[in-house]
Amino acid sequence: MCGIVAYIGPKDATPFLLEGLARLEYRGYDSAGVAVTGRTGGIKSRKVKGRVADLAADIPARFKGTTGIGHTRWATHGVPSDANAHPHLDNAERIAVVHNGIIENADELRVRLTAEGAVFRSETDTEVLAHLIAAHATEGVELEEAVRAALGKVVGTYGIAVLDAEQPDRIVVARNGSPIVLGIGEKEMFAASDVSALVRYTRQVVHLEDGELATVRADGFRTFTEDARTTHRQPSTVDWEIDSYDTGGYEHFLLKEIHEQPGSVERTLSGRLDERFATAHLGGLNLDARELREIRRVKILGCGSAYYAGEMGAQLIEELARIPAHSEPASEFRYRNPVIEADTLYIAVSQSGETYDTLAAVQEVKRKGGRVLGVVNTVGSAIARECDGGIYLHAGPEISVASTKAFTSTVVAFALIALHFGRIHDLSPADGRRIVSALKALPDQIREVLAQSDAIAELAAEYAESEGMMFIGRVRGYPVAREGAQKLKEISYVHAEAYPASELKHGPLALISPELPTVALVPDDELLDKNLTTLGEIKARSGRVLAVAHRRPDAKLADHCVLVPKSEPELDPLLLNIPLQLLAYHAAVALKRDVDKPRNLAKSVTVE
Ligand code: AGP
């Protein structure tokens, strides 16, 4: 939810800190701050409510130091304000801390530290860390020892970076439930909560494990555990392209990521289609055919768009493999003492691989002896590591808060899983071939939809003025409607409701009026007539209709239509979703919204 950066080396840290924070801003953007120190001693710190650009404007030219930490925040404890922004310092201004995560026993620690003389200046849980580390940083104690001792008293999750004015030759970082990655440079070192802050400077990185700390100096690093045992960590190379982290000439990351989908789908499919046996190769599942045959049910867990992608995945698995499958919000599942069955396969879905609710759901399943696979975009992320096996999306980094290319790749991954399971069960070779060729055709078909971006922009400008929008779809179309409504409300703030088309007359038809237009998914499948009847019911109530269809409905049934290329019926939802991404994007632009960083949201929700 928040972003951390740190630098130590011969140069001034501030330019790297500010650039790194700008790159991490998608993770949280209600306040930002930096602290630096160096040979001249003392800590200089600046923090503001607002964006990284506001912070940069507030930094004076003399703000220099060769060791520094920075943070961009998404508020959990305390409102967004200058005082609550990180870094937090102890009263002597010797220690500065930036923190992602939540200190659960902060209240108890605050009372104790206050009794010992600490004066708190913010409402945050993080500030207790600054005072606690300072309390342990007594004469002759190394910073890493003070940090280790302080963390021993803390209950909660954290990724932290700590600066000490009296030991400016090092930064100490620690990870427990919130990622920290070290970047190895030439006589300089970096650290961040996400590689996107580092890739301009180095591609050699070390991901800390939970429960691990590191002392980072300009010439190297040492990692160790909470009980002071040295660990040996080998650097790995970041393989995502550097230009994935830039808008690359597009006005927004979101538009770029929507347009990247032909390529990201190709990468999700790459090397996984087996034309000879009309199936999919998914080595990472770690399940052989015999084990797969024993699975009686599939339960898919994810949050937000990942949950909706899971709904599409459940339909694919039921249709192609005839295994009962169901998607549930991981955020609900984890709180309801779920029954874990030995013959159920659990599949966790997450773009970031960090969503706390999904991670907690995976841990709950595993604790009860269940088997969990991951459908995850971020390699080596917490959820990917927690799962027993799975499939990486290879969609590339997704920076815009609203998920688009990762959503599409997730559904493609489910199509591969469903094909693989299906061919182990009763899906015929002919049906397998039908799905393989439809999957191969997807990238070009997505290009065809993207070519309609300008026409969709005109429709979006018109519909964006509405007081709200209804999204409807039937069976395969319903998760598409849900994701379409989610995308619109998330980035344009236009109220949007999704309903199964079949349910309209059981209540929501009362809402239909010229002020509340309907986006209707109308695939050319076995339910076409039913869908056309629903359009008639809407038009009879003076409702406006924008149809997303394979064939243009009669003008009496739809005011506007976006045509989408036909795939196989099971894969149609994938393509029907793409115009809805463009509709949401262009509506948000027409309404002058902050498209990549919508209000109140953050890219990864790493808190409960
Ligand atoms: C998607 O547009 C949303 N920003 C959000 O619903 C997101 O899909 C959800 O928070 C899950 O994120 P994850 O895929 O990283 O776990």
Side-chain angles (χ1 to χ4, degrees):
M1 317 262 342
C2 307
I4 287 177
V5 287
Y7 173 86
I8 183 160
K11 301 183 200 133
D12 176 23
T14 316
F16 164 76
L17 297 177
L18 291 174
E19 203 216 307
L21 288 181
R23 291 191 179 280
L24 292 185
E25 207 172 23
Y26 70 111
R27 303 179 63 93
Y29 34 85
D30 56 41
S31 48
V34 287
V36 295
T37 187
R39 280 178 295 277
T40 51
I43 288 180
K44 297 187 187 92
S45 170
R46 238 4 186 237
K47 48 190 196 164
V48 298
K49 175 184 171 193
R51 298 288 170 90
V52 175
D54 302 317
L55 173 68
D58 194 53
I59 292 206
R62 61 181 186 284
F63 191 95
K64 286 189 179 3
T66 49
T67 308
I69 57 178
H71 191 262
T72 176
R73 175 170 186 251
W74 187 86
T76 53
H77 285 59
V79 294
S81 67
D82 290 358
N84 287 338
H86 302 207
H88 290 284
L89 277 71
D90 68 312
N91 293 135
E93 304 205 338
R94 173 185 163 181
I95 300 290
V97 181
V98 291
H99 164 229
N100 292 349
I102 291 197
I103 307 301
E104 286 164 22
N105 59 341
D107 290 344
E108 181 195 318
L109 290 170
R110 193 178 290 111
V111 170
R112 235 175 52 210
L113 289 159
T114 305
E116 288 166 14
V119 178
F120 280 79
R121 292 171 290 202
S122 78
E123 304 159 286
T124 66
D125 53 339
T126 303
E127 194 183 344
V128 299
L129 289 176
H131 295 293
L132 198 59
I133 295 167
H136 285 90
T138 46
E139 186 72 35
V141 174
E142 303 269 320
L143 177 62
E144 42 274 58
E145 282 315 302
V147 173
R148 213 173 54 76
L151 292 180
K153 305 215 159 61
V154 160
V155 179
T157 57
Y158 48 79
I160 58 169
V162 186
L163 209 64
D164 180 351
E166 292 185 14
Q167 299 176 50
D169 61 340
R170 71 197 76 177
I171 292 166
V172 175
V173 294
R175 168 186 175 141
N176 183 33
S178 203
I180 291 286
V181 53
L182 310 181
I184 302 165
E186 277 291 312
K187 301 196 176 73
E188 59 185 354
M189 286 286 297
F190 310 88
S193 52
D194 183 327
V195 288
S196 59
L198 307 178
V199 285
R200 301 249 139 234
Y201 301 88
T202 176
R203 300 183 80 175
Q204 291 296 299
V205 299
V206 171
H207 292 270
L208 292 195
E209 297 282 347
D210 276 344
E212 209 168 25
L213 297 87
T215 305
V216 185
R217 297 172 189 266
D219 58 359
F221 66 96
R222 182 177 78 83
T223 53
F224 50 98
T225 60
E226 284 163 351
D227 53 5
R229 276 179 300 109
T230 297
T231 52
H232 299 282
R233 317 280 282 112
Q234 289 306 315
S236 58
T237 307
V238 180
D239 57 4
W240 282 353
E241 292 306 317
I242 291 174
D243 61 12
S244 306
Y245 300 95
D246 289 319
T247 49
Y250 285 92
E251 203 181 332
H252 297 102
F253 277 108
L254 186 60
L255 189 61
K256 177 181 175 234
E257 287 160 7
I258 290 172
H259 279 273
E260 279 174 346
Q261 291 177 107
S264 51
V265 165
E266 261 159 26
R267 285 197 300 277
T268 307
L269 292 173
S270 176
R272 287 168 167 164
L273 288 176
D274 176 343
E275 307 217 29
R276 183 161 164 237
F277 291 105
T279 185
H281 278 308
L282 299 171
L285 298 188
N286 300 332
L287 283 167
D288 65 25
R290 197 158 298 158
E291 289 170 301
L292 277 175
R293 288 199 66 86
E294 280 158 18
I295 290 163
R296 294 279 160 268
R297 236 179 302 281
V298 175
K299 165 73 87 181
I300 301 168
L301 301 166
C303 295
S305 291
Y307 155 55
Y308 299 138
E311 288 196 309
M312 291 193 195
Q315 295 207 5
L316 279 158
I317 291 170
E318 282 210 0
E319 285 203 69
L320 298 181
R322 303 304 296 156
I323 302 172
H326 183 246
S327 177
E328 183 178 342
S331 46
E332 291 283 295
F333 174 88
R334 57 174 290 221
Y335 287 115
R336 65 170 179 81
N337 191 20
V339 177
I340 302 301
E341 295 164 306
D343 55 4
T344 296
L345 177 66
Y346 296 84
I347 305 183
V349 182
S350 178
Q351 185 287 126
S352 61
E354 283 177 39
T355 301
Y356 189 76
D357 282 322
T358 310
L359 179 63
V362 171
Q363 289 166 341
E364 176 72 357
V365 174
K366 292 199 69 182
R367 194 183 61 75
K368 291 180 169 174
R371 188 197 291 264
V372 196
L373 299 182
V375 173
V376 174
N377 194 33
T378 308
V379 175
S381 55
I383 293 171
R385 283 205 301 243
E386 195 76 35
C387 289
D388 300 302
I391 162 165
Y392 279 122
L393 302 178
H394 302 305
E398 195 179 63
I399 307 294
S400 189
V401 165
S403 183
T404 51
K405 64 176 181 175
F407 179 90
T408 301
S409 281
T410 301
V411 184
V412 171
F414 272 114
L416 291 168
I417 292 172
L419 175 63
H420 181 63
F421 288 12
R423 291 290 292 120
I424 285 167
H425 285 79
D426 297 325
L427 190 75
S428 68
D431 273 329
R433 273 193 293 278
R434 184 173 65 78
I435 298 298
V436 169
S437 9
L439 285 169
K440 283 170 66 184
L442 282 175
D444 281 340
Q445 291 180 309
I446 294 173
R447 282 186 192 100
E448 275 183 58
V449 182
L450 297 178
Q452 301 180 64
S453 182
D454 291 348
I456 294 172
E458 280 179 33
L459 292 173
E462 186 180 330
Y463 282 88
E465 298 305 324
S466 322
E467 66 182 32
M469 284 180 88
M470 183 74 88
F471 285 72
I472 57 167
R474 202 176 287 261
V475 187
R476 295 184 199 109
Y478 178 48
V480 184
R482 297 191 83 183
E483 170 60 8
Q486 154 100 340
K487 214 87 302 170
L488 184 72
K489 61 188 139 192
E490 191 175 19
I491 57 173
S492 74
Y493 321 150
V494 173
H495 178 72
E497 286 228 36
Y499 257 90
S502 54
E503 278 287 300
L504 210 58
K505 56 184 173 295
H506 297 291
L509 201 54
L511 292 173
I512 296 298
S513 75
E515 286 72 45
L516 188 94
T518 300
V519 176
L521 284 321
V522 194
D524 190 1
D525 62 10
E526 68 281 8
L527 297 171
L528 178 62
D529 290 345
K530 306 266 175 237
N531 282 322
L532 294 178
T533 304
T534 305
L535 297 193
E537 288 165 0
I538 296 170
K539 291 307 295 175
R541 273 87 186 169
S542 308
R544 282 190 292 152
V545 172
L546 165 57
V548 178
H550 295 130
R551 274 193 282 156
R552 190 174 296 278
D554 190 295
K556 290 201 280 297
L557 295 179
D559 302 85
H560 299 102
C561 178
V562 177
L563 288 177
V564 170
K566 182 85 184 79
S567 179
E568 291 298 328
E570 299 90 336
L571 298 175
D572 279 335
L574 261 164
L575 294 167
L576 291 166
N577 180 54
I578 312 287
L580 305 192
Q581 298 174 341
L582 288 166
L583 185 74
Y585 171 76
H586 290 299
V589 170
L591 294 169
K592 301 197 168 33
R593 305 302 191 216
D594 193 346
V595 174
D596 287 329
K597 301 185 188 96
R599 69 183 180 201
N600 306 339
L601 301 180
K603 185 65 179 164
S604 311
V605 186
T606 53
V607 292
E608 292 193 59

